[in-house]
């Protein structure tokens, strides 16, 4: 079948030259981290070889070039998610750090005893644990929106769990386990009606589909570069400018200040107020290049390609009676993270057997212990797809699962 | 490296038909072991009388390696006195780190293949480390309930 993205795109990713245990690499773990195109790797090298200098400090040519490229990367990120202005994008280390930034800087400042934070039962630990910490410091409490058998949020419960006491709603845009795409725009409307702000964990949505913060209407959006063809160690927090302006800083130090005296200091405007110390210059610039790359391929094309792949994977896995797939079946309402279990075989054993075939999948709780408790399993196996995956990759996965079945049926029950 | 070396039939047999599975209501020692990374969990129940393990059961869920290792462990320690159990723990842990065992480990030698898959060694040693810590606290304090989390 002709896919939305031709397989020649794989030629941009040097890692696919690699063999694992003598087999071609079948990489099905992009939800954990994506592979990197040559353009991004070259951008890193170019920065270090040609204009490595600290930003916002020197008045020499190299420093000016580095600063210009760093701020250009910020503009690329802002445009990519349709922020109103580049100053709404704060560079962080990752999604995790971005969520901690909101939880600490906004949460410690605004939350009061008795306030409520509404989360969902499908959150990644990074959109759960920071809220637990801040809630306990402020005497606030956590409430949870559950999900149904198919993996959809039970929106009818909003009536009950979203109240005048709710000050923050923090929700993932796309589940990293169930794949569910949550109706963030609707949740935003309901949350704003009661005066709550909405923090969206975009770690799994921003890399895989067009995301427009103005259309979503969210107040904050957190995402990571490494899941979208960029380097590790760089991510961003989008925040509505008025909110960023009113918030106190997160970390204190160099770069984020205007005037420092012994007892007090004044701070820069957002976003620099939130970027204390030397930032991750090289990775921010290379992330900008990753965004150029994704835009060239086209985010609509990537979304379509992944829908085709997930549909194909769902069909193929359905042929195997002993494979149980979690999450929605409707590809319009799900992304490409696909969790499953093979009857009587622990996901670790599944992953081990697949590794021997050169196939990389993830096994475990995928940083979502409460979600797994809710599913009633300790762990799942997870395959996830991106622009460089093909139907042949899924055929390899299915063949690998047949091998799992063979190996584990050697002992009579 | 061949997967048959890892998934020996003895291992799959213990995984499919675990020995001493269940709970002991009159246990002297109860210990829970967990590996948060993979979600492996085991609970060990030991009945110790006169310095000897007279009965043992386990409950748990996890991968074939962790469950088979636990099952085999319960088989070999049942009826042994505590000093023999200590020697078995040392021999098994030694074997998992490349030392030839000097005492007979029975079915457990099937787990030797796990050494070639370093990330899985923890699966094999989970129950043994839990057992060792349980014995340490037992010898200090008498009847115990302990929780061990392996990082
Ligand atoms: C839904 C979701 N949220 C948050 C994260 C955390 O991202 P990072 O580890 O880049 O901070 C991840 C990825 O691991 C994720 O899948």
């Amino acid at each position: 079948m002709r896919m939305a993205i031709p397989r020649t795109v794989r030629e941009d990713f040097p890692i696919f030259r690699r063999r694992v245990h003598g087999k071609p690499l079948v990489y099905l773990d992009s939800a954990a981290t994506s592979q990197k195109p040559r353009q991004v790797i070259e951008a890193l090298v170019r920065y270090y070889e040609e204009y490595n200098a600290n930003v916002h400090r020197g008045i020499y040519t190299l420093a000016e070039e580095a600063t210009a490229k760093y701020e250009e990367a910020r503009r690329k990120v802002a445009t990519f998610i349709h922020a109103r202005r580049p100053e709404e994008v704060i560079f962080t280390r990752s999604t995790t750090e971005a969520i901690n930034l909101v939880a600490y800087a906004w949460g410690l400042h605004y939350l009061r005893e008795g306030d409520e934070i509404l989360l969902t039962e499908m959150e990644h630990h990074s959109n759960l644990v920071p809220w637990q910490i801040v809630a306990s410091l402020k005497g606030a409490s956590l409430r949870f929106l559950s999900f149904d058998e198919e993996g959809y949020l039970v929106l009818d419960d909003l009536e009950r769990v979203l109240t005048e006491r709710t000050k923050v709603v923090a929700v993932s845009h796309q589940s990293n386990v169930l794949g569910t795409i949550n109706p963030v725009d609707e949740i935003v409307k309901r949350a704003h009606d009661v005066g709550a702000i909405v923090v969206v964990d975009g770690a799994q949505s921003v890399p895989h589909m067009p995301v427009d913060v103005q259309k979503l209407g969210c107040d904050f959006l957190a995402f990571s570069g490494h899941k979208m063809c960029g380097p590790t160690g760089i991510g961003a927090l989008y925040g509505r400018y008025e909110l960023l302006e009113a918030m106190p800083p997160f970390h204190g130090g160099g770069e984020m200040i205007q005037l420092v005296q012994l007892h007090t200091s004044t701070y820069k405007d957002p976003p620099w107020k939130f970027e204390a110390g030397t930032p991750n210059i090289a990775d921010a610039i290379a992330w900008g290049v990753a965004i150029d790359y994704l835009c060239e391929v086209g985010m609509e094309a990537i979304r379509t390609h992944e829908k085709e792949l997930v549909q194909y994977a769902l069909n193929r896995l359905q042929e195997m009676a002993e494979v149980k797939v979690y999450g929605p079946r409707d590809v319009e309402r799900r992304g490409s993270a696909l969790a499953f279990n093979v009857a009587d075989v622990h996901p670790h054993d599944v992953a081990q057997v697949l590794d021997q075939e050169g196939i990389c999948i993830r096994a475990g709780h995928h940083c979502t212990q409460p979600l797994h408790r809710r599913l009633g399993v300790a762990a799942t196996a997870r395959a996830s797809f991106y622009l460089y995956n093909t139907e042949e990759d899924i055929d390899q996965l299915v063949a690998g699962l047949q091998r799992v079945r063979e190996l584990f049926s050697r002992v009579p029950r | 490296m061949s997967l048959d070396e890892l998934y020996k039939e003895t291992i799959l047999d213990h995984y499919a038909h675990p020995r001493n599975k269940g709970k002991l209501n009159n246990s002297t020692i109860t210990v829970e072991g967990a590996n948060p990374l993979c979600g492996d969990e085991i609970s060990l129940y030991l009945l110790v009388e006169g310095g000897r393990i007279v009965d043992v059961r386990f409950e748990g869920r996890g991968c074939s390696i962790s469950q088979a290792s636990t099952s085999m462990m319960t088989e070999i320690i049942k009826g042994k006195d505590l000093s023999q159990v200590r020697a078995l723990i040392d021999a098994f842990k030694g074997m998992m780190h490349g030392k030839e065992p000097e005492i007979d480990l029975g079915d457990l030698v099937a787990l030797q293949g796990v050494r070639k898959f370093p990330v899985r060694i923890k699966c094999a040693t989970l129950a043994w480390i839990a057992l060792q810590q349980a014995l340490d606290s037992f010898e200090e304090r008498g009847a115990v309930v302990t929780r061990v989390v392996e990082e």
Side-chain angles (χ1 to χ4, degrees), chain A residues 1 63 92 96 107 116 123 135 170 204 220 229 261 301 328 347 351 370 376 381 403:
Chain A
M1 195 180 114
T92 65
T96 303
E116 289 179 358
E123 294 314 309
Q204 296 295 343
F220 293 98
C229 295
Q261 287 167 322
R403 172 108 179 88

Coordinates of all heavy atoms in Angstrom, one line a residue, chain A residues 1 63 92 96 107 116 123 135 170 204 220 229 261 301 328 347 351 370 376 381 403:
Chain A
M1 N 0.8 -1.2 0.0 CA 0.0 0.0 0.0 C 0.9 1.3 0.0 O 1.9 1.3 0.6 CB -0.9 0.0 1.3 CG -2.0 1.0 1.2 SD -3.0 0.9 2.8 CE -2.6 2.5 3.4
A63 N 29.0 35.0 19.8 CA 28.0 35.1 20.8 C 26.7 35.7 20.2 O 25.6 35.2 20.5 CB 28.4 36.0 22.0
T92 N 12.8 24.6 28.4 CA 13.1 23.8 29.6 C 13.9 22.6 29.2 O 14.3 22.4 28.0 CB 11.8 23.3 30.2 OG1 11.1 22.4 29.3 CG2 10.8 24.4 30.5
T96 N 8.7 17.1 31.5 CA 8.8 17.0 33.0 C 9.1 18.3 33.7 O 8.4 18.7 34.6 CB 9.8 15.9 33.4 OG1 9.4 14.7 32.7 CG2 9.8 15.7 34.9
G107 N 1.7 27.2 40.9 CA 1.0 26.5 42.0 C 1.3 27.0 43.3 O 0.5 27.3 44.2
E116 N -8.6 22.6 44.7 CA -8.5 21.3 44.1 C -7.8 21.4 42.7 O -7.9 22.3 42.0 CB -9.9 20.7 43.9 CG -10.6 20.3 45.2 CD -12.0 19.8 45.1 OE1 -12.5 19.7 43.9 OE2 -12.5 19.4 46.1
E123 N -2.8 9.9 33.5 CA -1.6 10.8 33.4 C -0.3 10.0 33.6 O -0.2 9.1 34.4 CB -1.7 11.9 34.5 CG -2.8 12.9 34.3 CD -3.0 13.3 32.8 OE1 -2.0 13.8 32.3 OE2 -4.1 13.2 32.3
A135 N 0.5 20.1 45.9 CA -0.8 20.0 46.6 C -0.5 19.8 48.1 O -1.1 20.5 49.0 CB -1.7 18.9 46.1
A170 N -5.1 19.5 34.9 CA -3.9 19.1 34.2 C -4.2 17.8 33.5 O -4.6 16.8 34.1 CB -2.7 19.0 35.1
Q204 N 2.9 13.7 23.9 CA 2.6 12.7 22.9 C 1.8 13.3 21.7 O 1.5 12.6 20.8 CB 1.9 11.5 23.5 CG 2.7 10.7 24.4 CD 3.9 10.0 23.8 OE1 4.0 9.9 22.6 NE2 4.8 9.6 24.7
F220 N -1.4 26.5 29.5 CA -0.1 26.0 29.4 C 0.0 24.7 28.6 O -1.0 23.9 28.6 CB 0.5 25.7 30.8 CG 0.6 26.9 31.7 CD1 -0.3 27.2 32.6 CD2 1.7 27.7 31.6 CE1 -0.2 28.3 33.5 CE2 1.9 28.8 32.4 CZ 0.9 29.1 33.4
C229 N 12.0 14.2 16.9 CA 13.1 14.2 16.1 C 14.2 15.2 16.6 O 15.3 15.3 15.9 CB 12.8 14.6 14.6 SG 11.8 13.3 13.8
Q261 N 20.7 43.2 43.8 CA 21.3 43.8 44.9 C 21.5 42.7 46.0 O 21.0 41.6 45.8 CB 20.4 45.0 45.4 CG 20.5 46.1 44.5 CD 19.4 47.2 44.7 OE1 18.2 46.8 45.0 NE2 19.8 48.4 44.6
A301 N 0.5 15.1 7.2 CA 0.9 13.9 6.5 C 1.4 12.9 7.6 O 1.1 11.7 7.5 CB 2.1 14.1 5.6
P328 N -8.6 2.9 22.5 CA -9.7 3.0 21.5 C -9.3 2.3 20.2 O -8.1 2.1 19.9 CB -9.7 4.5 21.2 CG -9.1 5.2 22.4 CD -8.1 4.2 23.0
P347 N 5.1 -9.1 29.6 CA 5.6 -8.1 28.6 C 7.1 -8.1 28.6 O 7.7 -7.9 27.5 CB 5.0 -6.8 29.1 CG 4.1 -7.0 30.2 CD 4.0 -8.5 30.5
A351 N 9.2 -8.5 25.2 CA 10.2 -7.6 24.7 C 11.5 -8.2 24.5 O 12.2 -7.9 23.5 CB 10.3 -6.4 25.7
P370 N -0.7 4.3 38.0 CA -2.2 4.3 38.3 C -3.0 3.8 37.1 O -4.0 3.1 37.3 CB -2.5 5.8 38.6 CG -1.2 6.3 39.2 CD -0.1 5.6 38.3
G376 N -5.9 -3.1 35.7 CA -5.8 -4.4 36.4 C -4.6 -5.3 36.0 O -4.6 -6.5 36.1
A381 N 3.0 -4.4 27.2 CA 4.0 -4.2 26.1 C 3.4 -3.0 25.3 O 2.2 -2.8 25.2 CB 4.1 -5.4 25.3
R403 N 6.7 -15.8 17.2 CA 7.8 -16.4 17.8 C 7.7 -16.5 19.3 O 8.0 -17.5 19.9 CB 9.1 -15.6 17.4 CG 10.4 -16.0 18.0 CD 11.3 -16.8 17.0 NE 12.5 -17.1 17.7 CZ 12.7 -18.3 18.3 NH1 11.8 -19.2 18.4 NH2 13.9 -18.5 18.9

